Amino acid sequence: MSSVKAKKDHQGFEKKRLTGSRFMKCLLLIVCMSTLPIEATHFRYGHMTWTRVGGDTVEITVTTAWRTAFIGSYYLYFGDGDRVPVYANSQTQLFTGTDLQGESYTITQFKTLHAYASEGPFTAYFSSCCRVSTLINASDASYLIEATVDLRNGNSGSPVSSMPVILQMTQGQVNTVPVPVADPDGDSFSLRMATSVESGIPGTPSTASHTLSLDSNNNLVWNTAETVIGQKYAAQVIIEENLNGSIGKVALDFIIEIVGNSGNNSSPTCSGTSGLQVINAGQLFSASFSADDPDGDDLTVTALGLPSCAVMFPASVSTVTSPAAGTIDWTPDSSNIGQAYAITLIFEDPDGLQCISSFSMQVQATDTDGDGISDDNDAFPNDSTKAFLSYSPAKNVYATLAFEDNWPQKGDYDFNDLVVDYNFTLCSNASNEVVQIEADLVVRAAGAAFQNGFGIQFP
């Protein structure tokens, strides 16, 4: 039984010492009242990106996946000394699924605005404990997800990517999986495996003879000959963008699950639109995909990373008859200019075996004549030889030239021998080279005894 003993302290106040079960109950209460929930083996996936929304203010988007029974909480550090707590109930739940062992996970998303005091760069991050206990290479390890926020040189946002929370690789063969990546500024980028310091993962997924790697085409490649069906590995890919020599990075953290085909069931296969698609605002973009299950099983199709107004048929998280085909149609508007999207389609049979198809999109302003100047900034959207108009002294405004025809003598110095109002319209191409000049000249006075002429000389 619990007991309560009391005595007076040196200031005369009564002190109580709790023992037995009452102490444990109070300890449990303290834990439950703490700022963030107690640590647990619940983390499955993490990806953090950012977009400039004006000045030095950005919107940060964090996509994560957790054990469904325990949505994790964490502090999001902005890299400038500020942080914000992210609780389970402040995260939007996007999707719930299961792995081959029947363990349920839920994908969540958190968005927040943050105003930086300068252009940076800053390293935003979140980190806590713990990863899944059953991971071969990172059992109960901590996780660390970082993103470089660099607003210099007009950078409008970080690269974005997508990947299934549980990426399946087939045992006993070379697996090649594309990683979809897009950058809103069209910056060049490269992919590499994260170090243990960057990710918290003690080691890259590997066997005695083979290690997970990335090839020059941004494909994950791993020969799983020495793995065992059912094994899980933690993996983190670092996406590095190159903006005029400044290197920024974002992390993509996920789990690889080893699967195998049996005599009764084989993995589906799928294909479709792939690679980076640069699309124009205001124009319809269509992507196609197909999937086939060798056993004739129905397939559940799920889309990750779709823009909110995109129309997918069949709809995401729907069951289709194999073989299946579908489309994604989207017409981005001006608000999507400078945005990037990474799309991953997952096809899953009733036993949980999957295949994936992926592509990425970068939205740019419409450029009908292809001169590199968007239509909304191009005075001649259908003429590649012309792009900009400028005026002297200003549009629809005239300046005046007044001449004395005895110059350099003063004469009567009344400057009415010839008075001309002028307005010039200068047309230049995409390289800012003047290709045409229009002059609007209006004679206001000609009061000289001489017969004067007026001309324009170009240098």
Side-chain angles (χ1 to χ4, degrees):
M1 296 178 62
S2 64
S3 61
V4 179
K5 296 182 180 181
K7 65 179 182 179
K8 302 290 185 178
D9 67 10
H10 69 280
Q11 292 178 320
F13 292 99
E14 185 176 75
K15 293 174 64 180
K16 294 184 178 181
R17 179 165 58 89
L18 303 180
T19 62
S21 62
R22 173 165 289 190
F23 174 79
M24 295 304 297
K25 290 179 180 178
C26 288
L27 178 61
L28 179 62
L29 178 62
I30 291 171
V31 170
C32 292
M33 292 176 64
S34 63
T35 303
L36 295 174
I38 192 170
E39 297 171 350
T41 56
H42 53 275
F43 179 79
R44 262 76 169 168
Y45 175 94
H47 184 45
M48 177 165 53
T49 61
W50 62 271
T51 302
R52 187 198 293 253
V53 296
D56 293 336
T57 299
V58 303
E59 180 181 62
I60 294 178
T61 299
V62 180
T63 305
T64 46
W66 316 90
R67 177 161 54 91
T68 298
F70 193 98
I71 305 298
S73 297
Y74 54 90
Y75 280 110
L76 173 58
Y77 294 85
F78 297 108
D80 60 354
D82 289 344
R83 69 178 187 178
V84 61
V86 182
Y87 300 102
N89 60 7
S90 62
Q91 302 174 52
T92 301
Q93 296 190 14
L94 302 179
F95 175 76
T96 295
T98 57
D99 61 19
L100 278 182
Q101 281 66 49
E103 297 178 357
S104 179
Y105 62 86
T106 297
I107 302 175
T108 67
Q109 194 169 82
F110 173 77
K111 294 188 176 186
T112 186
L113 295 177
H114 184 70
Y116 286 96
S118 69
E119 293 185 333
F122 304 94
T123 300
Y125 71 94
F126 63 98
S127 178
S128 189
C129 181
C130 297
R131 295 178 182 272
V132 183
S133 300
T134 53
L135 294 171
I136 300 299
N137 63 329
S139 175
D140 297 329
S142 297
Y143 58 87
L144 172 61
I145 310 298
E146 294 182 332
T148 303
V149 181
D150 189 348
L151 298 166
R152 295 174 298 176
N153 300 313
N155 197 9
S156 63
S158 67
V160 300
S161 186
S162 65
M163 184 64 67
V165 173
I166 311 292
L167 172 64
Q168 293 184 356
M169 288 192 172
T170 303
Q171 193 276 338
Q173 67 180 46
V174 176
N175 293 262
T176 302
V177 180
V179 181
V181 179
D183 186 87
D185 304 293
D187 297 332
S188 61
F189 57 82
S190 60
L191 275 61
R192 61 176 175 83
M193 301 305 301
T195 66
S196 59
V197 173
E198 291 173 310
S199 65
I201 301 172
T204 301
S206 62
T207 62
S209 304
H210 305 286
T211 299
L212 177 70
S213 62
L214 286 151
D215 66 16
S216 59
N217 295 317
N218 298 331
N219 295 314
L220 284 166
V221 181
W222 194 18
N223 186 334
T224 56
E226 298 166 303
T227 61
V228 176
I229 294 173
Q231 287 180 333
K232 294 190 185 75
Y233 297 80
Q236 186 176 118
V237 171
I238 297 296
I239 306 165
E240 293 182 325
E241 65 169 328
N242 189 328
L243 178 65
N244 296 325
S246 298
I247 305 299
K249 69 178 185 179
V250 296
L252 179 64
D253 196 292
F254 53 94
I255 290 174
I256 294 175
E257 182 178 43
I258 304 301
V259 301
N261 297 326
S262 67
N264 298 322
N265 190 40
S266 298
S267 298
T269 59
C270 50
S271 62
T273 300
S274 62
L276 175 62
Q277 307 293 318
V278 179
I279 58 180
N280 293 326
Q283 295 183 356
L284 174 65
F285 168 76
S286 292
S288 60
F289 55 86
S290 62
D292 188 17
D293 188 88
D295 311 300
D297 294 331
D298 290 345
L299 298 172
T300 299
V301 56
T302 302
L304 305 176
L306 279 181
S308 59
C309 294
V311 177
M312 177 174 168
F313 180 82
S316 180
V317 198
S318 63
T319 300
V320 296
T321 301
S322 177
T327 58
I328 296 172
D329 292 326
W330 184 44
T331 303
D333 59 28
S334 58
S335 67
N336 303 118
I337 294 173
Q339 300 293 316
Y341 304 85
I343 316 301
T344 297
L345 302 175
I346 307 170
F347 299 87
E348 184 174 286
D349 73 9
D351 294 316
L353 293 180
Q354 302 174 350
C355 67
I356 68 170
S357 178
S358 63
F359 64 95
S360 56
M361 300 185 296
Q362 176 192 333
V363 183
Q364 64 179 14
T366 303
D367 181 14
T368 303
D369 57 17
D371 62 356
I373 308 300
S374 62
D375 285 2
D376 55 346
N377 292 316
D378 195 334
F380 304 90
N382 297 304
D383 186 345
S384 62
T385 67
K386 302 176 182 178
F388 307 114
L389 292 175
S390 57
Y391 305 90
S392 179
K395 187 176 182 179
N396 298 324
V397 174
Y398 287 79
T400 301
L401 294 171
F403 294 91
E404 170 58 51
D405 64 5
N406 280 305
W407 184 264
Q409 285 75 36
K410 290 184 179 180
D412 56 10
Y413 209 62
D414 57 5
F415 284 92
N416 68 350
D417 297 327
L418 180 63
V419 180
V420 178
D421 289 347
Y422 69 89
N423 177 273
F424 290 100
T425 300
L426 291 85
C427 176
S428 54
N429 61 19
S431 300
N432 278 322
E433 299 168 332
V434 176
V435 296
Q436 179 178 302
I437 298 177
E438 284 188 8
D440 188 7
L441 306 171
V442 181
V443 176
R444 295 300 185 187
F450 299 134
Q451 184 175 358
N452 289 320
F454 174 76
I456 297 173
Q457 178 177 327
F458 291 97

